[in-house]
Amino acid sequence: MEKTLVLIKPDGVKKGLGKKIVKYYQNAGLKMIKRKEIDPTPQLLKQHYFAHVAKPFYPDLEKFMLSSHIVVMIFEGSDAVAIARKVTGATDPAKAEKGTIRRDLGDLSLPDDDRIMMNLVHASATKEEAEREIKLWFG
Ligand code: ATP
Ligand code: MG
C-alpha cells in the first residue's frame, strides 16, 4: 500500500470544495487515512515548496497559501501517488484533462498566472516527494 500527500489550497477551502475534492480521490479508489486543517507558516511553506522558493512567482504563491487555512490529508492505496496526480490534473487547470479536479472545479476565467497558482490542490509528484511531504506536514 502506497501513501501520498494531498493538500487543499486556500482557494479550494474558501470555495467550500473540500468534500467534493475528497470524493474525486475516493472515487479513484484511494482511502483518506489522515486529515487536518492547518494555518501554515511561511517557514513550512518554504520547506514544502523548496524547489520553487527561488522562482519569480514564489512570493505571490506564498501570500496566496497564507490567505486561509489549508487542509492536509494522506491518501492510501495501490499506486496512490500516480492515481492522485492523475485525478488532480495538470498544473494549469485550462490544460488539465476533463474529469480532473483542476479542470472540473478550477476557475478557467482567471488570467494565466492566477489560474496556474490557484489550482485548488497539491498532490505529491513522486513516492520520494510523498514521503518527504508526509513527514513535513504530519511528522
Ligand atoms: P503541486 O506541486 O501544487 O501539486 P504541480 O506539481 O502541478 O503542483 P509545480 O510545478 O510543482 O506544479 O508548482 C507548484 C505550484 O506552484 C503549482 O501548483 C502552482 O500553485 C504554483 N505555480 C507553478 N507555476 C506557477 C506560475 N508560473 N505562476 C504562478 N504559480 C505557479
Ligand atoms: Mg509539484
Side-chain angles (χ1 to χ4, degrees), residues 6-9 12-14 16-19 22 32 34-41 44 65 68-74 137-138:
V6 170
L7 187 158
I8 303 179
K9 298 179 180 184
V13 170
K14 286 184 225 169
L17 291 172
K19 280 189 182 148
V22 167
M32 187 172 67
K34 280 198 180 164
R35 176 194 187 277
K36 69 176 176 184
E37 296 179 4
I38 168 167
D39 287 305
T41 59
L44 254 173
M65 291 298 292
S68 88
H69 74 266
I70 58 173
V71 180
V72 282
M73 298 172 287
I74 299 174
W137 293 102
F138 287 95

Side-chain angles (χ1 to χ4, degrees), residues 8-29:
I8 303 179
K9 298 179 180 184
D11 52 340
V13 170
K14 286 184 225 169
K15 289 177 181 165
L17 291 172
K19 280 189 182 148
K20 259 193 185 171
I21 286 170
V22 167
K23 272 264 177 272
Y24 272 78
Y25 296 109
Q26 289 172 335
N27 288 343

Side-chain angles (χ1 to χ4, degrees), residues 96-130:
E97 279 181 47
K98 284 181 187 160
T100 65
I101 293 166
R102 286 172 172 167
R103 174 62 180 269
D104 293 357
L105 307 177
D107 186 348
L108 302 183
S109 73
L110 292 170
D112 291 6
D113 285 350
D114 286 349
R115 189 184 66 235
I116 294 168
M117 182 170 73
M118 295 189 245
N119 57 5
L120 301 170
V121 280
H122 161 83
S124 309
T126 63
K127 225 178 144 163
E128 294 68 40
E129 198 174 288

Side-chain angles (χ1 to χ4, degrees), residues 1-6 22-35 73-81 83-84 134:
M1 277 295 172
E2 200 170 277
K3 292 184 176 65
T4 194
L5 185 110
V6 170
V22 167
K23 272 264 177 272
Y24 272 78
Y25 296 109
Q26 289 172 335
N27 288 343
L30 302 180
K31 186 177 170 190
M32 187 172 67
I33 56 166
K34 280 198 180 164
R35 176 194 187 277
M73 298 172 287
I74 299 174
F75 281 91
E76 188 181 67
S78 161
D79 228 5
V81 173
I83 289 173
I134 286 169

